[in-house]
Amino acid sequence: MSILHKLTLRSLKLNRRWTIVTIIGIILSGAMIIGVASIAASFQDLFVQLAIVDGGNYHAKLYGVALEQVDNLRQKDLETVMVNKEAGFAVIKEDSEEGLYLHVCEFDRESFESFPLKLVAGSLPQREGELVVTEEMQELGYEIGETVELTLGERYLDDMQLTAGDHFQEGEVWQAKEKRKFTICGIIEDPRFMYNAAGFTAFSYLNEDALGEDELVDVALRVKNVRGIYDDLPPLAEQVGAEGYGFHGELLRWLGASANDYAMAFLDSITLIIIVLIVVGSVTVIYNAFAISVSERKRQFGVLASVGATQGQIRGIVFKEGLLLGAVGIPLGILAGLVGIGITLKVINRVLAENIGDAAFCLVISPATIGITAMFEALIIFLSAWLPAKKAAKISPIDAIRLQSDINIKAKEVKTSKLTRKLFGLEGDLALKNIKRNRKQYRATVFSLFISIVLFVSFSSFMEYGFITRDMYYGGLPYDFIVNIYETEDDFVEKLLAVPEIERSAVVHQLHVQGKFNKEQLGSYLQKGEALDALPQDEAGNYLLNVNLVSIGEEEFKKYVKENGLKPADFKQERQGLLINKNVLEGKVAYEPLSVSKGEELELSDYSYEGEQPAVFRLKIGAVMKELPYGVNFVGVNSVNILVTDEVLQSIAAGLHEYSQRQAADFSVYLSGSDSEILGEKIRSLGEEFEANYYLTDISALQAEIKRTTTVMAIFLYGFVTLISLIGITNIFNTISTNVLLRRREFAMLRSVGLTPEGLQKIIRFESLFYGMKALSYGLPVSILISVWMFNAFANLFTFSFVIPWRQLIICIVGVQLVTFLTMRHASKKFSSENIVDALGLDYCS
Amino acid sequence: MEILRVENLTKVYGKGSTRVKALAGVSFSVQKGEFVAIVGASGSGKSTLLHCIGGVDRPSGGKVVVDGKDIYSLSETKLAVFRRRKLGLIYQFYNLIPILNVEENMTLPLLLDGKEIERDYLQELLVTLKLTKRLQHLPNELSGGEQQRVSIGRALINRPALLLADEPTGNLDSKNSQEIIELLKLSNKKYQQTLIVVTHDQNIARQAGRVITIADGQIVGDEINVHFA
């Protein structure tokens, strides 16, 4: 082994603490890089899975391709060619107003493998004549094993052929085509990728041999390289004479097909930004580690130079250290990162199981990711070691000979003001001088602290604003369930309201009318930007808003009005309403829709159809309110809520068109209870009992889902912040403790002239205070600026005012001071009571 | 044969108000096999002169020609190699590498060159320096005298053209001091080593064959010791 290699190894062994701490820095950095890359890949994989679950595993479709061309396609260099055909519609229920059809699709084997059909019972078709139907069909009496004869045909409205996506149209005509026999071989869940607006869907096996050469089929494709698909498909479609083509946009986007795709680009940029931050943080730590090590061994390098070691040989020592540390740290870091992320994803899958259904976060490990991480890490180590290596090589042999190593310090560099001495005493003055003499190291340490502070505060603020906007929408809603009633017996509603678990309820009627407002009557948020652009205008230039007139039942109305210090009776005599002047756009912004006052009269009208004149009426604003009543939801950006009594609503409706009257007659029931789970079950079982036609919105479930999502976000963000902080702490520990150890002789000298151990601790306390103060003086303002930027950038406008993230700032201030102080104390403890003369007699030999 | 020629050597430290002229145009030459002592008061520039000769402190002006080579015309790499092979430096504070043992410290110049160690010569040096039983020890396990002997061994291992010693006994007691001087004299006699020793100790100066006196960065005396044997 060469002498330089021996020197490297022994140096690493001797300075165990430094070696271990630097390796920890490399491990943390590597773990984070591969962690971020893996998470990004996992997210991408999840979105791909979700796109497949939602839409099927294909990249593009060619419509109306002659069967003879399919073989041509199979010859081409495509991953998979799937053939399907619309067999037609069979009538399930004949009705002039709302007919019901069974839409039969034929799939070949590859299609059955690639499209997400969830089998509930039986098997998927494997032969011609076999058919799978949905659970709804099973409820209508279709069972496995049954043979059915279906007359298949097409739907037409006038001359236009209707598809499965078209609702049953009044006046549409069904034309029979052929009779076919099918044996039901399986039952499936309603397929998400195929929307049937006029009934149900069934799938049978496509036998290509039974079709004529010129019969038209649809072909779904998977290509080998998605990147070129948007350019390659049109000529291919033309080549095979396809009538049309389409893309599975959602899947292609997550496979990275489109270079211009915003979502992919966003994910890529976020990943890159985070990795750059990690690299910057890591480089400061590892650079600092090498810088300290070189500084500590200045004499040694000087001796080597004086004995004849070349600059290249000395540089080699430092680089070799980097190589050895990397050889240990990089594999451990990668392993730690993969294990950490694997565990995190498992936890997240459990938390998010209900949100993402059939998909799951998978740990995506690719050799490329590992290779790139190792490369990044090697680059980080090289960059970090490069400057210190260069410095080591430049150390003049004379530095080895002279006892003082700080010969380059000029008096003015370490000058401190008299005020420092007055305020902080000799100890504080010495502390400040020490800091000034080692500016570069000081700056590196402060920079590392600064990065940690900025990242911690910024990410925490981001979380905070995210939570606030989420809470604004769903957090404030006081009800647990909304039951929209369509068609049911009156008993159902009576029994529903009598459920004992209900603590509060409201029977809510709504009437959508239109209001004309001039610009000054709109709230400040609606007066500009895309909000204003979204509002339609009439010929006179007035802005048209949807006005949602709502009544919530007498009991709730009285409660609401009294809670706000008003008299319910005032709103019964006159035709007036309470303007609910607060709206929230989900996850975005809270704002005041209108800028009108109590007493103003609004001109409203219902919506007209078929050329009829809208019915106009006037409504006075009896009060302007800031909070939602129980039973009233937030609305869209071009709408506003006005609360009226039941009587006022019905009296307004009586003067409007029939459509509006029907609308006012419909109602929903808003419920809240002590145990939302039991209440939900009772509602559902009542609905089944009465075969009621209703729709249940489970607000509490939505709130729970949001909580889960934000928990996941919190895990990622706080996990990241913790790791970045750990890197920062590693750096501080290394820098400060070594810096202190290097000054053992100095401290011994001070003790020899009478500095007490308490005095020594005081110097140390001041130094850590100055480090912390400097880092905080830069870090805190920058963090606040970044928080402001995020406040503005991530939401267009918040009507809650900007809040300085006090909690995070305080944690930072305390944390930074604690870390720096504890580090120095730990380092100085060793020698603060040692024999003075031993330390004074110290030369670099020990 | 002239082994060293110093021409108009100057060395200035600092700038402006802190400017210090350590050497103010020093010129002299040394023949092969000479034992020269450079003496002077503290701050006279004698150590600076030795360091400039030893290629470890670049002068501000002038030339240093060792064994026919103008050492400061060489690149840093070539100068380092030259130092390794042609110069042996001994310091007051030993300057051993703390994590290398006695044998490794002594053979460091050879190891840097990747050369084979001449075992016989090494053994001879170890016997002469009385270090045979300390081969595997680290510097902090040795006494001051032993450490200095190791540094002498390191300086001699490559049979350098010049052996330069800067206050080699400055950190030793009188017994060890005399031992060291005897060893240096031995190397001068036995290996025909050209030896230049910087010292403030008149006792040591008296034992040299030639004494150069430095004051305020200039040579103020250059005497042959007629009693030198």
Side-chain angles (χ1 to χ4, degrees):
Chain A
M1 198 194 294
S2 84
I3 189 66
L4 297 169
H5 198 67
K6 261 192 210 172
L7 266 169
T8 308
L9 272 176
R10 280 190 212 168
S11 198
L12 290 173
K13 272 192 202 153
L14 202 76
N15 297 306
R16 211 157 289 153
R17 186 188 49 79
W18 177 87
T19 305
I20 289 171
V21 169
T22 311
I23 288 177
I24 289 173
I26 295 171
I27 289 173
L28 279 173
S29 151
M32 288 178 75
I33 291 176
I34 200 165
V36 168
S38 301
I39 287 174
S42 298
F43 261 104
Q44 190 184 357
D45 177 70
L46 178 75
F47 293 135
V48 164
Q49 286 180 55
L50 288 171
I52 290 172
V53 162
D54 273 343
N57 191 8
Y58 71 96
H59 299 153
K61 260 189 179 164
L62 298 169
Y63 300 107
V65 178
L67 189 67
E68 64 188 343
Q69 291 293 336
V70 173
D71 280 330
N72 267 346
L73 285 168
R74 288 196 173 110
Q75 303 303 321
K76 297 204 184 284
D77 191 26
L78 299 164
E79 192 188 299
T80 314
V81 173
M82 301 165 263
V83 184
N84 32 77
K85 189 172 172 1
E86 308 255 319
F89 294 86
V91 176
I92 303 174
K93 181 177 121 183
E94 221 169 310
D95 190 322
S96 60
E97 285 192 2
E98 201 159 348
L100 213 58
Y101 294 105
L102 179 66
H103 176 224
V104 179
C105 296
E106 290 173 300
F107 269 14
D108 68 354
R109 190 176 52 83
E110 285 82 6
S111 301
F112 276 119
E113 283 167 9
S114 301
F115 284 85
L117 293 170
K118 241 186 153 185
L119 207 56
V120 171
S123 62
L124 292 173
Q126 286 165 13
R127 280 172 279 283
E128 193 184 353
E130 289 184 342
L131 188 76
V132 276
V133 297
T134 60
E135 288 171 299
E136 287 96 334
M137 287 293 286
Q138 193 183 30
E139 281 163 21
L140 290 177
Y142 292 80
E143 291 294 349
I144 295 175
E146 204 180 310
T147 302
V148 292
E149 194 178 62
L150 297 174
T151 309
L152 297 168
E154 297 298 346
R155 295 163 61 198
Y156 294 94
L157 181 67
D158 301 323
D159 289 323
M160 198 174 67
Q161 188 169 1
L162 299 174
T163 66
D166 294 314
H167 284 271
F168 184 85
Q169 310 277 331
E170 210 174 305
E172 74 167 70
V173 160
W174 173 81
Q175 270 177 22
K177 216 170 48 177
E178 56 174 347
K179 267 195 172 101
R180 283 173 66 176
K181 266 197 185 131
F182 293 101
T183 306
I184 296 172
C185 62
I187 309 289
I188 53 170
E189 281 183 13
D190 196 23
R192 279 155 70 162
F193 66 90
M194 199 160 258
Y195 173 58
N196 196 330
F200 313 116
T201 314
F203 296 87
S204 75
Y205 188 80
L206 176 71
N207 181 9
E208 280 178 47
D209 297 332
L211 299 174
E213 287 286 307
D214 49 4
E215 200 141 350
L216 297 182
V217 293
D218 295 334
V219 181
L221 306 167
R222 274 207 302 276
V223 299
K224 289 184 177 165
N225 179 14
V226 295
R227 285 203 185 271
I229 196 171
Y230 285 102
D231 295 324
D232 296 339
L233 194 76
L236 181 65
E238 203 179 339
Q239 204 182 10
V240 298
E243 287 177 350
Y245 60 86
F247 298 96
H248 190 352
E250 191 65 19
L251 178 60
L252 288 175
R253 137 198 293 182
W254 293 115
L255 290 173
S258 168
N260 295 327
D261 186 79
Y262 172 74
M264 245 337 244
F266 182 72
L267 185 66
D268 284 342
S269 339
I270 287 278
T271 311
L272 195 65
I273 288 171
I274 293 174
I275 289 183
V276 165
L277 285 171
I278 296 167
V279 167
V280 167
S282 311
V283 166
T284 54
V285 171
I286 301 168
Y287 165 79
N288 228 25
F290 279 104
I292 293 162
S293 166
V294 162
S295 178
E296 205 179 322
R297 290 180 295 159
K298 225 170 159 181
R299 270 220 188 102
Q300 202 181 108
F301 289 124
V303 168
L304 282 168
S306 78
V307 165
T310 62
Q311 287 184 342
Q313 285 174 316
I314 294 175
R315 267 199 302 272
I317 294 175
V318 181
F319 281 128
K320 231 170 252 171
E321 281 172 6
L323 188 73
L324 289 170
L325 293 172
V328 173
I330 294 174
L332 284 177
I334 290 172
L335 192 67
L338 290 175
V339 167
I341 289 299
I343 295 171
T344 309
L345 290 179
K346 268 204 163 59
V347 168
I348 284 167
N349 276 331
R350 213 165 287 166
V351 170
L352 282 184
E354 288 177 47
N355 289 41
I356 54 180
D358 296 327
F361 272 110
C362 296
L363 177 62
V364 175
I365 307 174
S366 71
T369 317
I370 293 175
I372 289 171
T373 304
M375 204 189 69
F376 254 111
E377 276 297 279
L379 190 68
I380 289 170
I381 296 170
F382 174 75
L383 285 173
S384 308
W386 184 70
L387 215 63
K390 217 173 141 193
K391 249 184 130 177
K394 283 222 147 47
I395 288 170
S396 136
I398 206 72
D399 287 332
I401 302 157
R402 298 219 168 89
L403 289 175
Q404 307 106 286
S405 53
D406 295 327
I407 204 144
N408 291 323
I409 295 177
K410 295 191 178 57
K412 64 177 180 185
E413 283 175 352
V414 291
K415 196 171 175 198
T416 51
S417 81
K418 291 199 178 110
L419 190 64
T420 314
R421 187 73 69 94
K422 277 213 174 87
L423 282 173
F424 301 114
L426 176 69
E427 292 88 353
D429 198 24
L430 281 171
L432 194 58
K433 281 188 198 291
N434 272 326
I435 282 169
K436 280 175 182 248
R437 92 172 184 210
N438 220 347
R439 273 173 209 274
K440 276 191 185 147
Q441 205 163 288
Y442 168 67
R443 269 186 218 138
T445 311
V446 164
F447 181 70
S448 180
L449 272 167
F450 163 78
I451 293 268
S452 297
I453 291 166
V454 166
L455 286 172
F456 177 78
V457 174
S458 312
F459 275 77
S460 307
S461 308
F462 177 68
M463 285 297 299
E464 198 101 353
Y465 298 138
F467 286 138
I468 292 174
T469 50
R470 284 284 180 183
D471 282 343
M472 272 187 330
Y473 193 88
Y474 285 112
L477 297 176
Y479 37 84
D480 299 324
F481 295 98
I482 304 172
V483 186
N484 298 105
I485 314 277
Y486 298 121
E487 246 184 68
T488 187
E489 301 165 29
D490 288 336
D491 285 0
F492 170 64
V493 181
E494 218 181 282
K495 285 258 154 54
L496 181 65
L497 291 169
V499 166
E501 280 76 13
I502 293 176
E503 287 180 343
R504 194 172 173 181
S505 64
V507 176
V508 176
H509 293 258
Q510 292 190 69
L511 182 56
H512 300 289
V513 296
Q514 197 171 60
K516 286 184 195 172
F517 301 90
N518 59 47
K519 201 170 175 195
E520 287 66 45
Q521 287 178 304
L522 301 174
S524 57
Y525 176 70
L526 291 179
Q527 280 194 20
K528 50 185 184 277
E530 55 182 26
L532 185 67
D533 293 339
L535 300 180
Q537 285 174 280
D538 65 7
E539 284 150 5
N542 292 311
Y543 291 93
L544 306 171
L545 280 177
N546 297 314
V547 175
N548 190 29
L549 297 175
V550 197
S551 72
I552 55 175
E554 194 171 335
E555 201 184 311
E556 280 300 325
F557 183 86
K558 277 185 181 156
K559 222 186 246 177
Y560 179 71
V561 163
K562 280 184 186 161
E563 268 167 16
N564 287 280
L566 301 167
K567 291 199 202 118
D570 290 345
F571 298 92
K572 278 197 173 174
Q573 314 299 2
E574 236 181 304
R575 196 184 257 191
Q576 55 181 344
L578 296 93
L579 170 66
I580 312 301
N581 209 18
K582 175 181 173 176
N583 198 32
V584 173
L585 300 178
E586 190 196 331
K588 226 178 159 199
V589 62
Y591 65 98
E592 290 175 4
L594 294 179
S595 187
V596 296
S597 349
K598 175 181 162 177
E600 261 187 69
E601 237 183 26
L602 302 177
E603 190 185 284
L604 306 172
S605 64
D606 71 353
Y607 289 98
S608 68
Y609 294 97
E610 294 159 357
E612 285 185 21
Q613 282 297 308
V616 181
F617 63 98
R618 302 187 83 79
L619 182 70
K620 193 165 128 185
I621 303 291
V624 178
M625 315 299 282
K626 286 279 156 68
E627 292 305 320
L628 281 185
Y630 185 93
V632 178
N633 294 326
F634 292 123
V635 288
V637 69
N638 55 345
S639 303
V640 63
N641 283 313
I642 295 182
L643 179 69
V644 292
T645 61
D646 288 335
E647 293 84 3
V648 167
L649 188 84
Q650 298 305 330
S651 99
I652 290 171
L656 303 178
H657 291 92
E658 202 193 313
Y659 170 83
S660 301
Q661 288 171 11
R662 269 189 295 176
Q663 200 187 79
D666 282 338
F667 60 95
S668 304
V669 180
Y670 285 67
L671 304 165
S672 34
S674 48
D675 190 325
S676 56
E677 216 176 302
I678 295 180
L679 182 54
E681 268 169 37
K682 291 221 170 155
I683 297 169
R684 284 181 196 101
S685 65
L686 263 178
E688 268 174 43
E689 190 189 317
F690 283 89
E691 288 180 3
N693 192 359
Y694 74 100
Y695 186 81
L696 181 67
T697 306
D698 190 340
I699 301 286
S700 54
L702 278 170
Q703 285 170 332
E705 183 189 318
I706 286 156
K707 199 170 173 196
R708 281 195 294 273
T709 316
T710 41
T711 306
V712 166
M713 276 174 65
I715 291 173
F716 280 123
L717 284 172
Y718 282 123
F720 173 73
V721 166
T722 307
L723 288 173
I724 279 273
S725 304
L726 272 175
I727 281 190
I729 290 169
T730 310
N731 196 23
I732 311 306
F733 182 75
N734 224 8
T735 318
I736 294 181
S737 60
T738 313
N739 179 264
V740 165
L741 283 168
L742 278 175
R743 290 184 285 145
R744 271 171 80 184
R745 186 192 252 143
E746 227 173 271
F747 288 129
M749 190 278 295
L750 286 165
R751 284 172 60 217
S752 77
V753 297
L755 182 74
T756 61
E758 291 77 29
L760 180 60
Q761 288 303 315
K762 229 175 154 183
I763 294 178
I764 285 161
R765 267 202 297 275
F766 274 120
E767 275 192 42
S768 57
L769 183 74
F770 294 143
Y771 267 118
M773 272 168 58
K774 196 72 177 187
L776 289 166
S777 69
Y778 289 128
L780 296 183
V782 170
S783 309
I784 293 172
L785 279 172
I786 292 179
S787 299
V788 172
W789 172 75
M790 273 194 286
F791 182 84
N792 290 323
F794 284 99
N796 297 325
L797 195 79
F798 284 104
T799 55
F800 62 86
S801 47
F802 171 74
V803 174
I804 290 179
W806 290 117
R807 207 162 43 103
Q808 286 77 16
L809 296 179
I810 289 169
I811 292 173
C812 258
I813 292 169
V814 169
V816 161
Q817 292 299 351
L818 202 65
V819 165
T820 48
F821 175 68
L822 286 173
T823 307
M824 291 194 85
R825 226 172 97 102
H826 166 79
S828 67
K829 237 174 152 172
K830 289 181 201 162
F831 58 78
S832 54
S833 52
E834 76 175 339
N835 212 7
I836 295 174
V837 82
D838 292 334
L840 275 179
L842 213 70
D843 66 5
Y844 75 99
C845 266
S846 317
Chain B
M1 184 190 123
E2 187 186 79
I3 197 80
L4 168 71
R5 189 172 73 252
V6 174
E7 287 177 20
N8 207 25
L9 207 62
T10 54
K11 177 74 186 180
V12 179
Y13 292 110
K15 283 182 200 158
S17 57
T18 56
R19 198 167 185 267
V20 168
K21 213 172 191 177
L23 293 173
V26 172
S27 302
F28 67 97
S29 66
V30 174
Q31 302 300 309
K32 186 168 169 38
E34 277 197 77
F35 176 1
V36 180
I38 301 178
V39 300
S42 194
S44 57
K46 55 187 189 298
S47 291
T48 307
L49 175 60
L50 196 79
H51 296 153
C52 287
I53 293 168
V56 294
D57 194 1
R58 198 169 274 273
S60 311
K63 263 192 202 171
V64 174
V65 181
V66 176
D67 205 9
K69 240 291 150 7
D70 174 3
I71 65 172
Y72 289 108
S73 68
L74 298 170
S75 67
E76 283 299 327
T77 303
K78 288 200 169 124
L79 181 55
V81 174
F82 189 84
R83 255 200 312 275
R84 185 193 296 175
R85 293 174 187 167
K86 294 285 187 178
L87 300 167
L89 281 129
I90 303 161
Y91 304 99
Q92 182 178 356
F93 286 97
Y94 332 131
N95 284 343
L96 301 177
I97 304 289
I99 54 177
L100 297 178
N101 62 30
V102 165
E103 184 180 336
E104 288 162 342
N105 265 295
M106 267 182 70
T107 56
L108 190 55
L110 284 175
L111 296 171
L112 284 170
D113 244 349
K115 274 194 191 154
E116 280 287 323
I117 301 169
E118 268 185 62
R119 287 279 151 197
D120 295 336
Y121 179 55
L122 175 65
Q123 189 59 29
E124 198 184 316
L125 276 178
L126 287 167
V127 167
T128 311
L129 296 167
K130 293 186 202 151
L131 291 169
T132 46
K133 291 194 176 137
R134 312 298 257 163
L135 266 187
Q136 301 305 318
H137 286 77
L138 292 177
N140 62 295
E141 294 166 330
L142 306 173
S143 70
E146 284 167 335
Q147 287 187 59
Q148 194 61 298
R149 276 183 262 147
V150 173
S151 81
I152 292 171
R154 180 178 71 192
L156 288 173
I157 197 72
N158 241 344
R159 295 192 177 88
L162 267 184
L163 195 61
L164 307 166
D166 183 11
E167 306 274 12
T169 59
N171 219 29
L172 301 170
D173 58 41
S174 56
K175 180 170 174 275
N176 274 310
S177 293
Q178 194 49 42
E179 254 184 47
I180 294 300
I181 293 300
E182 290 303 327
L183 281 168
L184 290 174
K185 277 160 72 176
L186 183 66
S187 75
N188 174 239
K189 289 231 158 15
K190 190 171 176 186
Y191 301 114
Q192 284 299 287
Q193 204 67 62
T194 312
L195 177 61
I196 303 178
V197 178
V198 158
T199 184
H200 64 273
D201 187 341
Q202 289 300 325
N203 180 41
I204 293 168
R206 269 196 291 274
Q207 297 180 62
R210 176 178 165 197
V211 178
I212 295 174
T213 311
I214 301 252
D216 296 326
Q218 285 175 319
I219 294 180
V220 296
D222 192 348
E223 290 163 16
I224 303 292
N225 183 1
V226 295
H227 300 294
F228 178 70

